[in-house]
Amino acid sequence: MHGSCDIGIIGMAVMGQNLALNIARKGFQVAVFNRTASRTDELMKRVEKESIVPTYTLKEFVASLKKPRKAMLMVKAGAAVDEFIDKLLELLEPGDLIIDGGNSFYQDTERRIKKVEKQGLLFLGTGISGGEYGALHGPSIMPGGHEEGYALVKEIFEKAAAQVEDGPCCTYLGPRSAGHFVKMVHNGIEYAFMQAIAEAYDLLRKAYRLSSEAIGKIFEEFNQSEIASYLIEITAKIFKVSDPETRKPLVELILDQAEQKGTGKWTSQTAFDFGVPTPVINQSVIARTISSFKQERVQFASLWKNKEAAPINFDEQHKEKIKDALFVSMVVAFSEGLHLLKVASQEMQYGLSLPEVVRIWKGGCILRARMLNQIQQALQNGEGEILLFSPTFLNEIQRRTPKLREIVALSIEKEIPASVLSTSLAYLDSWKSENLPANLIQAQRDFFGAHTYQRVDKEGVFHTIWEE
Protein backbone atom coordinates (compact mmCIF):
# COMPACT_ATOMS: atom_id res chain seq x y z
CA MET A 1 0.00 0.00 0.00
CA HIS A 2 3.02 2.33 -0.34
CA GLY A 3 2.14 5.87 -1.34
CA SER A 4 -1.60 5.28 -1.82
CA CYS A 5 -3.14 7.16 1.15
CA ASP A 6 -4.71 10.60 0.68
CA ILE A 7 -3.97 11.68 4.26
CA GLY A 8 -2.44 10.24 7.42
CA ILE A 9 -3.54 10.75 11.03
CA ILE A 10 -1.23 10.37 14.03
CA GLY A 11 -2.93 9.88 17.41
CA MET A 12 -5.63 7.26 17.81
CA ALA A 13 -7.44 8.49 20.91
CA VAL A 14 -11.20 8.71 20.32
CA MET A 15 -11.04 12.03 18.37
CA GLY A 16 -8.32 10.69 16.06
CA GLN A 17 -10.11 7.38 15.50
CA ASN A 18 -13.42 9.07 14.76
CA LEU A 19 -11.90 11.61 12.40
CA ALA A 20 -10.09 8.82 10.50
CA LEU A 21 -13.38 6.90 10.11
CA ASN A 22 -15.20 10.08 9.04
CA ILE A 23 -12.63 10.93 6.32
CA ALA A 24 -12.50 7.32 5.11
CA ARG A 25 -16.30 7.23 4.83
CA LYS A 26 -16.13 10.28 2.55
CA GLY A 27 -14.18 8.21 0.02
CA PHE A 28 -10.55 8.90 0.98
CA GLN A 29 -7.83 6.44 1.94
CA VAL A 30 -6.43 7.19 5.40
CA ALA A 31 -3.19 5.97 6.99
CA VAL A 32 -3.18 5.82 10.79
CA PHE A 33 -0.45 5.61 13.40
CA ASN A 34 -0.36 5.60 17.19
CA ARG A 35 2.64 5.38 19.48
CA THR A 36 0.86 2.54 21.32
CA ALA A 37 -0.03 -0.09 18.70
CA SER A 38 -3.04 -1.35 20.68
CA ARG A 39 -4.90 1.89 19.91
CA THR A 40 -4.39 1.34 16.19
CA ASP A 41 -5.62 -2.26 16.57
CA GLU A 42 -8.65 -0.94 18.49
CA LEU A 43 -9.56 1.26 15.52
CA MET A 44 -9.10 -1.58 13.01
CA LYS A 45 -11.75 -3.59 14.91
CA ARG A 46 -14.22 -0.74 14.19
CA VAL A 47 -13.35 -0.63 10.48
CA GLU A 48 -15.79 -2.26 8.08
CA LYS A 49 -15.53 -1.25 4.42
CA GLU A 50 -13.54 1.93 5.11
CA SER A 51 -10.16 2.43 3.44
CA ILE A 52 -7.98 2.74 6.54
CA VAL A 53 -4.37 1.58 6.44
CA PRO A 54 -2.79 0.75 9.82
CA THR A 55 0.92 1.54 10.21
CA TYR A 56 3.16 0.66 13.12
CA THR A 57 6.23 2.87 12.62
CA LEU A 58 6.47 6.52 11.57
CA LYS A 59 8.62 5.46 8.60
CA GLU A 60 5.90 3.09 7.43
CA PHE A 61 3.28 5.80 8.05
CA VAL A 62 5.13 8.36 5.90
CA ALA A 63 5.81 5.79 3.16
CA SER A 64 2.08 5.03 2.91
CA LEU A 65 1.19 8.64 1.97
CA LYS A 66 0.74 10.05 -1.55
CA LYS A 67 3.00 12.97 -2.43
CA PRO A 68 2.79 15.75 -1.48
CA ARG A 69 2.23 14.00 1.82
CA LYS A 70 -0.39 15.24 4.28
CA ALA A 71 0.24 14.21 7.91
CA MET A 72 -2.25 15.28 10.58
CA LEU A 73 -1.47 15.29 14.31
CA MET A 74 -4.36 14.48 16.66
CA VAL A 75 -2.26 14.35 19.81
CA LYS A 76 -2.41 16.19 23.13
CA ALA A 77 -1.45 19.87 22.89
CA GLY A 78 2.02 20.71 24.15
CA ALA A 79 5.24 18.70 24.12
CA ALA A 80 3.78 15.76 22.15
CA VAL A 81 3.06 18.04 19.17
CA ASP A 82 6.66 19.33 19.09
CA GLU A 83 8.01 15.80 19.46
CA PHE A 84 6.05 14.48 16.48
CA ILE A 85 6.85 17.55 14.34
CA ASP A 86 10.58 16.93 14.97
CA LYS A 87 10.24 13.26 14.00
CA LEU A 88 8.19 14.06 10.89
CA LEU A 89 10.68 16.71 9.73
CA GLU A 90 13.31 13.95 9.53
CA LEU A 91 11.07 11.85 7.25
CA LEU A 92 9.07 14.31 5.14
CA GLU A 93 10.24 16.31 2.11
CA PRO A 94 9.82 19.93 0.98
CA GLY A 95 6.25 20.58 -0.19
CA ASP A 96 4.76 18.05 2.27
CA LEU A 97 2.16 19.25 4.79
CA ILE A 98 1.95 18.88 8.57
CA ILE A 99 -1.42 19.65 10.20
CA ASP A 100 -1.82 20.17 13.95
CA GLY A 101 -5.46 19.31 14.68
CA GLY A 102 -5.18 19.69 18.46
CA ASN A 103 -6.10 22.53 20.82
CA SER A 104 -2.72 24.23 20.57
CA PHE A 105 -2.02 27.70 21.96
CA TYR A 106 -1.79 30.12 19.05
CA GLN A 107 1.69 31.36 20.04
CA ASP A 108 2.99 27.78 19.88
CA THR A 109 1.54 27.59 16.36
CA GLU A 110 3.38 30.81 15.42
CA ARG A 111 6.64 29.20 16.54
CA ARG A 112 5.98 25.85 14.86
CA ILE A 113 5.05 27.28 11.47
CA LYS A 114 8.40 29.13 11.31
CA LYS A 115 10.27 25.95 12.17
CA VAL A 116 8.44 23.90 9.52
CA GLU A 117 8.83 26.66 6.90
CA LYS A 118 12.62 26.66 7.33
CA GLN A 119 12.68 23.09 6.03
CA GLY A 120 10.49 23.92 3.04
CA LEU A 121 7.37 22.19 4.42
CA LEU A 122 3.83 23.52 4.78
CA PHE A 123 1.89 23.80 8.07
CA LEU A 124 -1.74 24.19 9.12
CA GLY A 125 -2.80 24.92 12.69
CA THR A 126 -6.35 23.60 12.67
CA GLY A 127 -9.00 23.94 15.36
CA ILE A 128 -11.58 21.15 15.41
CA SER A 129 -14.81 21.45 17.41
CA GLY A 130 -17.61 18.99 17.91
CA GLY A 131 -16.21 16.45 20.33
CA GLU A 132 -16.24 12.72 19.61
CA TYR A 133 -19.60 12.84 17.83
CA GLY A 134 -18.56 15.76 15.62
CA ALA A 135 -15.26 14.11 14.69
CA LEU A 136 -17.19 11.09 13.38
CA HIS A 137 -20.25 12.75 11.83
CA GLY A 138 -18.92 16.17 10.81
CA PRO A 139 -17.12 18.73 12.99
CA SER A 140 -16.49 22.44 12.54
CA ILE A 141 -12.96 22.72 11.14
CA MET A 142 -10.95 25.94 11.58
CA PRO A 143 -7.70 25.83 9.56
CA GLY A 144 -5.06 28.56 9.43
CA GLY A 145 -1.49 28.59 8.14
CA HIS A 146 -0.11 28.16 4.63
CA GLU A 147 -2.89 28.73 2.11
CA GLU A 148 -1.19 26.38 -0.37
CA GLY A 149 -1.26 23.76 2.40
CA TYR A 150 -5.02 24.26 2.75
CA ALA A 151 -5.39 23.76 -1.01
CA LEU A 152 -3.93 20.24 -0.55
CA VAL A 153 -6.60 19.20 1.98
CA LYS A 154 -9.50 21.49 1.01
CA GLU A 155 -11.58 18.69 -0.53
CA ILE A 156 -10.90 16.27 2.33
CA PHE A 157 -11.68 18.81 5.08
CA GLU A 158 -14.76 20.25 3.40
CA LYS A 159 -16.28 16.80 2.82
CA ALA A 160 -15.49 15.68 6.40
CA ALA A 161 -16.89 18.86 7.98
CA ALA A 162 -20.47 19.37 9.12
CA GLN A 163 -22.72 20.65 6.32
CA VAL A 164 -25.15 23.56 6.78
CA GLU A 165 -27.46 25.31 4.31
CA ASP A 166 -24.71 27.70 3.18
CA GLY A 167 -21.87 25.22 2.84
CA PRO A 168 -19.41 23.05 4.76
CA CYS A 169 -18.39 24.18 8.26
CA CYS A 170 -14.81 24.64 7.17
CA THR A 171 -12.98 27.49 5.47
CA TYR A 172 -9.42 28.78 5.22
CA LEU A 173 -9.27 31.42 7.98
CA GLY A 174 -5.92 33.12 7.44
CA PRO A 175 -2.14 32.86 7.75
CA ARG A 176 0.00 31.44 10.56
CA SER A 177 -1.96 30.88 13.80
CA ALA A 178 -5.36 32.20 12.59
CA GLY A 179 -7.07 28.79 12.88
CA HIS A 180 -5.91 28.05 16.41
CA PHE A 181 -6.70 31.64 17.49
CA VAL A 182 -10.29 31.29 16.26
CA LYS A 183 -10.63 27.92 18.02
CA MET A 184 -9.28 29.40 21.27
CA VAL A 185 -11.87 32.20 21.18
CA HIS A 186 -14.59 29.66 20.27
CA ASN A 187 -13.71 27.80 23.47
CA GLY A 188 -13.71 30.98 25.56
CA ILE A 189 -17.26 31.76 24.40
CA GLU A 190 -18.15 28.12 25.13
CA TYR A 191 -16.94 28.51 28.75
CA ALA A 192 -19.23 31.55 29.16
CA PHE A 193 -22.29 29.72 27.73
CA MET A 194 -21.74 26.72 29.96
CA GLN A 195 -21.42 28.84 33.10
CA ALA A 196 -24.53 30.92 32.25
CA ILE A 197 -26.55 27.71 31.75
CA ALA A 198 -25.19 26.29 35.02
CA GLU A 199 -26.22 29.48 36.87
CA ALA A 200 -29.75 29.28 35.41
CA TYR A 201 -29.90 25.66 36.63
CA ASP A 202 -28.67 26.72 40.09
CA LEU A 203 -31.44 29.33 40.36
CA LEU A 204 -34.08 26.86 39.19
CA ARG A 205 -33.10 24.27 41.80
CA LYS A 206 -32.33 26.61 44.73
CA ALA A 207 -34.61 29.65 44.38
CA TYR A 208 -37.60 27.80 42.87
CA ARG A 209 -36.80 24.32 44.33
CA LEU A 210 -37.59 22.57 41.04
CA SER A 211 -36.74 18.91 40.52
CA SER A 212 -34.15 17.82 37.98
CA GLU A 213 -36.96 16.36 35.88
CA ALA A 214 -38.81 19.71 35.83
CA ILE A 215 -35.59 21.59 35.00
CA GLY A 216 -34.93 19.19 32.14
CA LYS A 217 -38.36 19.97 30.68
CA ILE A 218 -37.69 23.73 30.91
CA PHE A 219 -34.43 23.32 28.97
CA GLU A 220 -36.29 21.20 26.39
CA GLU A 221 -38.65 24.14 25.89
CA PHE A 222 -35.73 26.57 25.75
CA ASN A 223 -34.29 24.46 22.93
CA GLN A 224 -37.39 25.17 20.83
CA SER A 225 -36.90 28.93 21.29
CA GLU A 226 -34.54 31.65 20.12
CA ILE A 227 -31.84 30.37 22.53
CA ALA A 228 -31.87 26.92 20.89
CA SER A 229 -28.30 25.63 20.79
CA TYR A 230 -26.25 22.48 21.15
CA LEU A 231 -25.39 23.29 24.79
CA ILE A 232 -29.05 23.89 25.73
CA GLU A 233 -29.98 20.66 23.91
CA ILE A 234 -27.45 18.48 25.75
CA THR A 235 -28.39 20.15 29.06
CA ALA A 236 -31.99 18.98 28.58
CA LYS A 237 -30.73 15.46 27.80
CA ILE A 238 -28.46 15.36 30.88
CA PHE A 239 -31.46 15.78 33.21
CA LYS A 240 -33.13 12.69 31.71
CA VAL A 241 -30.34 10.29 32.69
CA SER A 242 -30.76 8.37 35.96
CA ASP A 243 -28.08 6.58 37.92
CA PRO A 244 -28.80 2.81 37.54
CA GLU A 245 -27.86 2.08 41.18
CA THR A 246 -29.70 4.82 43.07
CA ARG A 247 -32.34 5.75 40.44
CA LYS A 248 -31.53 9.39 41.21
CA PRO A 249 -30.83 11.89 38.41
CA LEU A 250 -27.17 11.28 37.62
CA VAL A 251 -26.38 15.02 37.49
CA GLU A 252 -27.22 15.26 41.22
CA LEU A 253 -24.52 12.70 42.03
CA ILE A 254 -21.70 14.42 40.13
CA LEU A 255 -19.13 16.28 42.24
CA ASP A 256 -19.36 20.05 41.72
CA GLN A 257 -15.77 20.53 40.55
CA ALA A 258 -15.46 21.63 36.91
CA GLU A 259 -12.14 20.87 35.26
CA GLN A 260 -10.54 22.85 32.42
CA LYS A 261 -7.92 22.23 29.76
CA GLY A 262 -6.81 25.86 29.53
CA THR A 263 -8.41 27.27 26.36
CA GLY A 264 -10.77 29.54 28.33
CA LYS A 265 -7.86 30.85 30.39
CA TRP A 266 -5.85 31.47 27.18
CA THR A 267 -8.76 33.51 25.78
CA SER A 268 -8.84 35.70 28.90
CA GLN A 269 -5.06 36.15 29.02
CA THR A 270 -4.94 36.97 25.30
CA ALA A 271 -7.82 39.46 25.61
CA PHE A 272 -5.83 41.29 28.32
CA ASP A 273 -2.80 41.30 26.00
CA PHE A 274 -4.85 42.86 23.18
CA GLY A 275 -6.67 45.30 25.50
CA VAL A 276 -10.13 43.89 24.75
CA PRO A 277 -12.65 43.63 27.63
CA THR A 278 -14.00 40.08 27.97
CA PRO A 279 -15.36 40.11 31.55
CA VAL A 280 -18.02 37.42 30.98
CA ILE A 281 -15.48 34.97 29.52
CA ASN A 282 -13.03 35.88 32.33
CA GLN A 283 -15.69 35.31 34.98
CA SER A 284 -16.57 31.89 33.57
CA VAL A 285 -12.91 30.86 33.94
CA ILE A 286 -12.87 32.20 37.53
CA ALA A 287 -16.08 30.30 38.35
CA ARG A 288 -14.51 27.02 37.21
CA THR A 289 -11.41 27.77 39.24
CA ILE A 290 -13.46 28.49 42.39
CA SER A 291 -15.36 25.22 41.86
CA SER A 292 -12.06 23.31 42.10
CA PHE A 293 -11.62 24.41 45.75
CA LYS A 294 -14.33 22.04 47.03
CA GLN A 295 -12.81 21.32 50.43
CA GLU A 296 -12.30 25.00 51.20
CA ARG A 297 -15.85 25.83 50.06
CA VAL A 298 -17.31 23.18 52.35
CA GLN A 299 -15.25 24.55 55.24
CA PHE A 300 -16.20 28.19 54.56
CA ALA A 301 -19.88 27.31 54.10
CA SER A 302 -19.89 25.77 57.60
CA LEU A 303 -18.92 29.20 59.04
CA TRP A 304 -21.97 30.88 57.49
CA LYS A 305 -25.60 30.51 58.36
CA ASN A 306 -27.19 30.63 54.92
CA LYS A 307 -30.79 31.80 54.94
CA GLU A 308 -33.31 29.03 54.32
CA ALA A 309 -35.81 31.08 52.34
CA ALA A 310 -39.17 29.79 51.19
CA PRO A 311 -39.20 28.67 47.53
CA ILE A 312 -40.68 31.01 44.93
CA ASN A 313 -43.65 29.78 42.93
CA PHE A 314 -42.43 29.13 39.41
CA ASP A 315 -44.62 30.20 36.50
CA GLU A 316 -44.40 31.19 32.82
CA GLN A 317 -43.22 34.70 33.72
CA HIS A 318 -40.26 33.33 35.68
CA LYS A 319 -39.42 30.97 32.84
CA GLU A 320 -39.40 33.89 30.37
CA LYS A 321 -37.13 35.90 32.70
CA ILE A 322 -34.57 33.10 32.84
CA LYS A 323 -34.75 32.61 29.07
CA ASP A 324 -34.24 36.35 28.52
CA ALA A 325 -31.29 36.36 30.94
CA LEU A 326 -29.69 33.49 29.02
CA PHE A 327 -30.36 35.21 25.69
CA VAL A 328 -28.59 38.40 26.78
CA SER A 329 -25.63 36.54 28.29
CA MET A 330 -25.24 34.50 25.07
CA VAL A 331 -25.21 37.65 22.91
CA VAL A 332 -22.72 39.29 25.30
CA ALA A 333 -20.39 36.25 25.16
CA PHE A 334 -20.52 36.21 21.34
CA SER A 335 -19.95 39.98 21.30
CA GLU A 336 -16.86 39.70 23.53
CA GLY A 337 -15.40 36.88 21.44
CA LEU A 338 -16.02 38.59 18.10
CA HIS A 339 -14.59 41.88 19.43
CA LEU A 340 -11.40 40.02 20.39
CA LEU A 341 -11.25 38.33 16.97
CA LYS A 342 -11.66 41.67 15.19
CA VAL A 343 -8.88 43.38 17.16
CA ALA A 344 -6.53 40.37 16.95
CA SER A 345 -7.15 40.01 13.22
CA GLN A 346 -5.97 43.61 12.70
CA GLU A 347 -2.94 43.33 14.99
CA MET A 348 -1.89 39.84 13.84
CA GLN A 349 -2.78 40.59 10.19
CA TYR A 350 -4.94 37.47 9.91
CA GLY A 351 -7.47 39.07 7.56
CA LEU A 352 -10.29 37.15 9.27
CA SER A 353 -13.74 37.25 7.71
CA LEU A 354 -16.00 37.32 10.80
CA PRO A 355 -19.15 36.35 8.81
CA GLU A 356 -17.23 33.24 7.64
CA VAL A 357 -16.05 32.45 11.18
CA VAL A 358 -19.65 32.56 12.38
CA ARG A 359 -20.86 30.54 9.38
CA ILE A 360 -18.53 27.63 10.15
CA TRP A 361 -19.74 27.66 13.78
CA LYS A 362 -23.33 27.02 12.64
CA GLY A 363 -22.87 23.25 12.42
CA GLY A 364 -20.80 20.51 14.00
CA CYS A 365 -19.31 22.57 16.82
CA ILE A 366 -20.13 23.02 20.50
CA LEU A 367 -21.18 26.68 19.92
CA ARG A 368 -23.77 25.98 17.25
CA ALA A 369 -26.88 28.00 18.05
CA ARG A 370 -29.95 29.38 16.32
CA MET A 371 -28.87 32.99 16.92
CA LEU A 372 -25.74 32.50 14.78
CA ASN A 373 -27.90 33.08 11.67
CA GLN A 374 -28.76 36.57 12.98
CA ILE A 375 -25.16 37.20 14.02
CA GLN A 376 -23.92 36.19 10.57
CA GLN A 377 -26.44 38.53 8.95
CA ALA A 378 -25.45 41.43 11.23
CA LEU A 379 -21.76 40.94 10.42
CA GLN A 380 -22.48 40.70 6.68
CA ASN A 381 -24.34 44.01 6.97
CA GLY A 382 -21.25 45.56 8.60
CA GLU A 383 -23.20 46.44 11.75
CA GLY A 384 -20.57 47.82 14.09
CA GLU A 385 -17.38 46.48 15.61
CA ILE A 386 -19.19 45.26 18.73
CA LEU A 387 -22.20 43.00 18.31
CA LEU A 388 -24.07 44.66 21.19
CA PHE A 389 -24.30 47.87 19.17
CA SER A 390 -25.77 46.06 16.15
CA PRO A 391 -29.30 47.19 15.13
CA THR A 392 -30.08 43.47 14.72
CA PHE A 393 -29.65 42.90 18.46
CA LEU A 394 -29.97 46.30 20.13
CA ASN A 395 -33.78 46.31 20.49
CA GLU A 396 -33.79 42.69 21.66
CA ILE A 397 -31.15 43.38 24.29
CA GLN A 398 -32.93 46.54 25.49
CA ARG A 399 -36.20 44.62 25.79
CA ARG A 400 -34.69 41.67 27.67
CA THR A 401 -32.13 43.37 29.93
CA PRO A 402 -34.73 44.38 32.59
CA LYS A 403 -35.51 40.64 32.96
CA LEU A 404 -31.80 39.87 33.32
CA ARG A 405 -31.66 42.60 36.00
CA GLU A 406 -34.53 40.91 37.89
CA ILE A 407 -32.80 37.52 37.72
CA VAL A 408 -29.51 39.00 38.97
CA ALA A 409 -31.39 40.77 41.81
CA LEU A 410 -33.03 37.45 42.71
CA SER A 411 -29.66 35.69 42.78
CA ILE A 412 -28.29 38.38 45.13
CA GLU A 413 -31.35 38.23 47.39
CA LYS A 414 -31.20 34.44 47.61
CA GLU A 415 -27.38 34.38 48.00
CA ILE A 416 -26.99 32.21 44.90
CA PRO A 417 -23.81 33.05 42.95
CA ALA A 418 -24.57 34.01 39.35
CA SER A 419 -21.29 35.57 38.36
CA VAL A 420 -21.64 35.29 34.57
CA LEU A 421 -25.25 36.53 34.50
CA SER A 422 -24.39 39.47 36.81
CA THR A 423 -21.20 40.26 34.86
CA SER A 424 -23.20 40.27 31.60
CA LEU A 425 -25.37 42.96 33.17
CA ALA A 426 -22.40 44.98 34.48
CA TYR A 427 -20.73 44.75 31.04
CA LEU A 428 -23.88 46.14 29.37
CA ASP A 429 -24.24 48.85 32.02
CA SER A 430 -20.61 49.87 31.44
CA TRP A 431 -21.04 50.22 27.68
CA LYS A 432 -24.21 52.28 28.05
CA SER A 433 -22.66 54.61 30.65
CA GLU A 434 -21.70 57.87 29.02
CA ASN A 435 -19.77 58.71 32.19
CA LEU A 436 -17.76 56.08 34.10
CA PRO A 437 -15.88 56.80 37.36
CA ALA A 438 -12.53 56.42 35.55
CA ASN A 439 -12.00 60.19 36.05
CA LEU A 440 -11.40 59.49 39.75
CA ILE A 441 -9.01 56.63 38.93
CA GLN A 442 -7.06 58.95 36.62
CA ALA A 443 -6.92 61.58 39.39
CA GLN A 444 -5.60 58.95 41.83
CA ARG A 445 -2.96 57.87 39.29
CA ASP A 446 -1.88 61.46 38.85
CA PHE A 447 -1.79 61.99 42.65
CA PHE A 448 0.53 59.08 43.46
CA GLY A 449 2.45 58.66 40.18
CA ALA A 450 2.25 61.94 38.24
CA HIS A 451 0.64 59.97 35.39
CA THR A 452 -1.21 63.09 34.08
CA TYR A 453 -4.77 63.37 32.83
CA GLN A 454 -6.89 65.00 30.13
CA ARG A 455 -9.75 67.41 30.81
CA VAL A 456 -13.30 67.55 29.44
CA ASP A 457 -13.29 71.34 29.07
CA LYS A 458 -10.02 72.01 27.23
CA GLU A 459 -7.33 70.37 25.11
CA GLY A 460 -4.01 69.17 26.46
CA VAL A 461 -2.40 66.89 29.05
CA PHE A 462 -2.33 68.05 32.68
CA HIS A 463 -0.64 67.25 35.98
CA THR A 464 -1.61 68.61 39.39
CA ILE A 465 0.33 68.79 42.67
CA TRP A 466 -2.60 67.44 44.70
CA GLU A 467 -1.05 67.96 48.14
CA GLU A 468 1.49 70.57 49.19
Side-chain angles (χ1 to χ4, degrees):
M1 300 301 289
H2 281 274
S4 64
C5 293
D6 300 295
I7 191 168
I9 297 178
I10 294 171
M12 288 295 108
V14 181
M15 282 288 287
Q17 287 193 23
N18 283 3
L19 192 63
L21 284 166
N22 174 359
I23 292 171
R25 286 170 186 173
K26 299 300 186 298
F28 301 99
Q29 191 162 48
V30 185
V32 296
F33 172 80
N34 195 73
R35 207 190 313 238
T36 314
S38 58
R39 280 275 176 85
T40 305
D41 295 336
E42 191 184 295
L43 169 66
M44 296 318 292
K45 286 174 190 164
R46 297 174 64 191
V47 171
E48 291 171 6
K49 296 173 187 171
E50 296 88 2
S51 295
I52 293 182
V53 177
T55 65
Y56 294 92
T57 67
L58 270 181
K59 207 168 183 179
E60 184 190 357
F61 170 81
V62 168
S64 71
L65 301 175
K66 280 181 194 169
K67 292 183 181 182
R69 303 178 187 93
K70 298 164 279 290
M72 185 167 193
L73 301 174
M74 293 297 291
V75 299
K76 191 177 177 184
V81 178
D82 288 307
E83 192 184 325
F84 274 110
I85 287 172
D86 288 342
K87 287 178 178 174
L88 284 170
L89 287 176
E90 292 172 14
L91 299 166
L92 295 173
E93 298 170 353
D96 290 344
L97 170 67
I98 297 174
I99 306 155
D100 175 11
N103 262 341
S104 289
F105 186 42
Y106 81 98
Q107 288 182 346
D108 288 335
T109 306
E110 290 282 321
R111 170 176 57 77
R112 287 166 184 151
I113 198 164
K114 284 178 191 162
K115 183 176 189 173
V116 169
E117 263 177 355
K118 277 183 187 168
Q119 298 213 21
L121 279 81
L122 302 170
F123 191 86
L124 288 178
T126 302
I128 298 175
S129 176
E132 297 170 15
Y133 182 89
L136 184 61
H137 299 283
S140 174
I141 304 177
M142 302 163 234
H146 293 115
E147 196 163 6
E148 57 271 44
Y150 181 67
L152 297 179
V153 288
K154 183 177 191 286
E155 188 189 1
I156 296 171
F157 277 9
E158 291 185 4
K159 283 188 176 173
Q163 308 293 317
V164 291
E165 71 281 356
D166 47 1
C169 292
C170 174
T171 192
Y172 174 72
L173 289 167
R176 305 181 328 277
S177 57
H180 276 144
F181 198 101
V182 168
K183 177 59 163 60
M184 173 187 74
V185 173
H186 166 288
N187 285 25
I189 299 169
E190 179 188 304
Y191 271 52
F193 277 16
M194 292 170 78
Q195 182 62 28
I197 291 168
E199 290 172 9
Y201 154 65
D202 211 22
L203 283 161
L204 289 166
R205 67 173 176 168
K206 289 177 181 171
Y208 300 101
R209 306 273 175 83
L210 298 183
S211 67
S212 290
E213 185 186 7
I215 295 170
K217 284 178 180 163
I218 289 163
F219 277 101
E220 270 185 347
E221 286 182 47
F222 285 168
N223 202 43
Q224 303 305 312
S225 74
E226 62 275 26
I227 62 168
S229 62
Y230 173 73
L231 284 167
I232 295 280
E233 178 192 329
I234 66 165
T235 300
K237 288 177 178 174
I238 284 166
F239 287 108
K240 285 184 174 175
V241 177
S242 296
D243 171 49
E245 290 174 41
T246 62
R247 304 286 175 89
K248 288 181 178 178
L250 182 56
V251 70
E252 293 176 13
L253 301 174
I254 295 174
L255 184 68
D256 59 326
Q257 283 183 304
E259 295 177 1
Q260 49 187 319
K261 287 185 175 176
T263 44
K265 178 184 75 175
W266 291 344
T267 308
S268 289
Q269 289 171 331
T270 303
F272 281 121
D273 291 339
F274 283 106
V276 176
T278 56
V280 169
I281 293 171
N282 303 350
Q283 198 57 55
S284 66
V285 177
I286 292 166
R288 281 202 199 186
T289 307
I290 290 176
S291 81
S292 70
F293 290 92
K294 175 67 175 178
Q295 195 178 336
E296 291 84 352
R297 287 189 288 116
V298 169
Q299 190 181 352
F300 193 55
S302 70
L303 306 175
W304 285 72
K305 287 188 176 134
N306 283 344
K307 288 187 290 189
E308 192 63 40
I312 303 164
N313 288 329
F314 189 75
D315 57 24
E316 281 298 314
Q317 275 188 315
H318 291 282
K319 188 161 64 183
E320 282 299 306
K321 283 179 194 176
I322 286 184
K323 187 179 76 175
D324 285 345
L326 283 171
F327 179 93
V328 174
S329 67
M330 285 171 76
V331 175
V332 166
F334 271 126
S335 185
E336 286 184 0
L338 291 166
H339 188 189
L340 175 55
L341 286 176
K342 187 172 182 71
V343 171
S345 180
Q346 289 164 349
E347 295 203 21
M348 300 289 289
Q349 298 179 319
Y350 287 147
L352 289 175
S353 162
L354 293 186
E356 271 293 275
V357 169
V358 168
R359 184 189 68 75
I360 66 170
W361 286 350
K362 281 162 58 175
C365 75
I366 307 300
L367 278 189
R368 61 186 184 268
R370 187 171 290 173
M371 69 169 61
L372 282 168
N373 287 315
Q374 287 171 284
I375 294 173
Q376 183 188 15
Q377 194 66 51
L379 292 168
Q380 283 169 340
N381 295 344
E383 291 181 8
E385 183 175 297
I386 299 166
L387 193 63
L388 294 180
F389 307 171
S390 152
T392 303
F393 286 100
L394 190 58
N395 289 341
E396 284 295 301
I397 292 168
Q398 285 177 334
R399 184 173 70 79
R400 295 169 196 260
T401 298
K403 301 290 183 3
L404 170 61
R405 206 173 292 282
E406 287 179 43
I407 290 298
V408 170
L410 174 68
S411 75
I412 293 166
E413 183 198 335
K414 298 294 180 187
E415 300 178 22
I416 299 166
S419 54
V420 157
L421 295 177
S422 57
T423 303
S424 298
L425 184 62
Y427 179 76
L428 280 168
D429 285 343
S430 296
W431 278 116
K432 69 184 182 65
S433 293
E434 194 177 331
N435 291 301
L436 288 168
N439 54 321
L440 176 58
I441 293 169
Q442 205 53 27
Q444 290 169 334
R445 293 181 76 245
D446 191 55
F447 190 117
F448 65 68
H451 292 295
T452 74
Y453 56 88
Q454 291 173 284
R455 291 175 58 128
V456 297
D457 57 347
K458 53 181 155 181
E459 291 290 317
V461 176
F462 301 88
H463 168 55
T464 294
I465 305 298
W466 295 87
E467 185 178 47
E468 291 301 330

